Amino acid sequence: MTRWNTSHIPDQTGRSAVVTGANSGIGYVAARELARRGARVLLACRNEARGIAALERLRSEVPDAKVEFRPLDLADLSSVRRFATGLDDFDGDRLDLLINNAGVMALPYRTTADGFEMQFGTNHLGHFALTGMLLPKLLTTPGARVVSVSSMLHTLADVDLNDLNSERKYSRWIAYGRSKSANLLFVHELSRRLATAGSQVIAAAAHPGYASTNLQTAGARMEGRRSAERLIELGNQAIGQSPDGGALGTLCAATAPHMKPDSFIGPRNGLRGAPAPSFRAPWTRNDSTSERLWTTSEQLTGVRYDFSPDATR
């Protein structure tokens, strides 16, 4: 994967992809480049106006793109279920690629529509539920992949199985780190269960390094902390790479041949550059923790995974 870039993306004609959070940042770039290579891409975004604007922008950049938009709010499990059950008309029974990209970062304490801490509920539980609901399509599609976008900031904290919703004490950055560790534990356990079931579906993870997007400033903006927002913007300009650079890890994990299950792909120096296998904290490969998180996630979301070949929702 030396110096891997978008020119290495194989032809995606005939393949279908769902990209969450595709209205901006690395999600938009991933959707655009997959469409550029011929994939049929569905932009799954919380905000309808922004989703439609992204759709129009993408069509202007890739005139022959086969792209659609549908609303999806990962912080509301009823929205996740509506999205998944309404996807029967998207490329029939097949789904080649699910990119779990959408996320929130370092927000003031908030809860989802279902009462979960917002970062854990959106970044992990929403995508856990979505993947489980779309699993039947993935299982019946040869060469299908699930790519979950984590972060190098997962190293801030392991998940706390006794306080998943940060009810005892809330630190916005620790909660973010826990949610990103949860992403990696999810990929680890999903890979293990797919292998046990004899499935060829590949689950992998990626991270963007330090990509300059609107993700970093969201928390400060919500609280009206303009000075903090401006400081973050300056940091983005000085250190961050473009969304195009940040999306390379996602696109590599999604399309590079011979990708191994449970891989974690990101910039080779951690912050920016061509994608390569990335460091990950040892706790993100803990079998006991990943299994316990999985079981709890099924209980919290009400979504049970069925790995049988004839699985139906």
Side-chain angles (χ1 to χ4, degrees):
M1 292 185 290
T2 301
R3 302 297 178 189
W4 193 96
N5 58 57
T6 55
S7 70
H8 294 97
I9 299 174
D11 181 25
Q12 299 294 298
T13 302
R15 293 171 61 81
S16 58
V18 170
V19 184
T20 69
N23 60 285
S24 65
I26 64 174
Y28 174 80
V29 174
R32 183 192 67 202
E33 295 308 312
L34 290 170
R36 195 188 303 278
R37 289 291 178 174
R40 180 182 180 186
V41 183
L42 192 152
L43 282 60
C45 314
R46 178 182 60 82
N47 185 289
E48 184 169 358
R50 293 175 183 171
I52 293 174
L55 186 69
E56 294 173 350
R57 175 187 171 195
L58 198 156
R59 285 173 173 163
S60 71
E61 294 186 63
V62 186
D64 59 348
K66 297 183 287 293
V67 289
E68 302 176 34
F69 159 76
R70 297 190 191 182
L72 169 65
D73 184 354
L74 290 159
D76 183 345
L77 291 176
S78 65
S79 174
V80 176
R81 190 169 294 279
R82 283 194 300 273
F83 176 87
T85 56
L87 215 61
D88 291 338
D89 63 344
F90 180 71
D91 215 15
D93 292 331
R94 71 178 297 129
L95 178 60
D96 297 88
L97 182 58
L98 172 60
I99 297 183
N100 292 324
N101 164 80
V104 292
M105 172 191 278
L107 302 180
Y109 188 82
R110 298 285 191 278
T111 56
T112 68
D114 304 281
F116 307 122
E117 186 275 314
M118 184 63 74
Q119 298 188 83
F120 176 69
T122 302
N123 298 351
H124 170 62
L125 289 177
H127 281 127
F128 178 92
L130 177 65
T131 306
M133 293 177 192
L134 297 183
L135 186 64
K137 281 177 172 279
L138 294 161
L139 289 174
T140 57
T141 305
R145 293 188 189 184
V146 178
V147 176
S148 295
V149 179
S150 182
S151 167
M152 281 305 291
L153 291 180
H154 79 275
T155 55
L156 291 175
D158 191 1
V159 297
D160 184 348
L161 291 167
N162 296 313
D163 189 24
L164 289 173
N165 286 308
S166 301
E167 294 172 320
R168 297 176 183 172
K169 181 180 180 181
Y170 182 73
S171 164
R172 68 185 69 202
W173 285 108
I174 294 300
Y176 179 71
R178 286 173 175 167
S179 74
K180 296 289 101 178
S181 282
N183 291 154
L184 288 169
L185 286 163
F186 166 64
V187 168
H188 179 69
E189 186 67 13
L190 178 58
S191 296
R192 188 184 70 81
R193 291 178 183 239
L194 286 166
T196 299
S199 172
Q200 298 302 305
V201 176
I202 292 174
H207 75 88
Y210 191 149
S212 179
T213 69
N214 58 14
L215 184 67
Q216 292 93 342
T217 58
R221 188 178 303 116
M222 287 176 66
E223 294 179 301
R225 295 185 293 123
R226 180 53 190 160
S227 59
E229 183 180 353
R230 180 56 181 158
L231 185 63
I232 294 169
E233 289 172 345
L234 291 172
N236 284 356
Q237 294 171 13
I239 304 173
Q241 63 176 335
S242 69
D244 288 69
L248 288 177
T250 300
L251 288 164
C252 182
T255 67
H258 313 301
M259 184 61 57
K260 294 181 179 180
D262 203 22
S263 295
F264 187 34
I265 306 299
R268 64 177 58 252
N269 74 354
L271 293 178
R272 58 195 305 148
S278 181
F279 168 81
R280 63 192 284 180
W283 60 71
T284 65
R285 285 197 173 102
N286 185 294
D287 292 345
S288 176
T289 303
S290 65
E291 184 174 9
R292 290 176 63 195
L293 177 63
W294 184 283
T295 299
T296 301
S297 298
E298 285 193 329
Q299 294 170 348
L300 292 174
T301 63
V303 176
R304 301 292 190 272
Y305 279 58
D306 184 353
F307 291 90
S308 61
D310 58 346
T312 57
R313 276 192 296 276

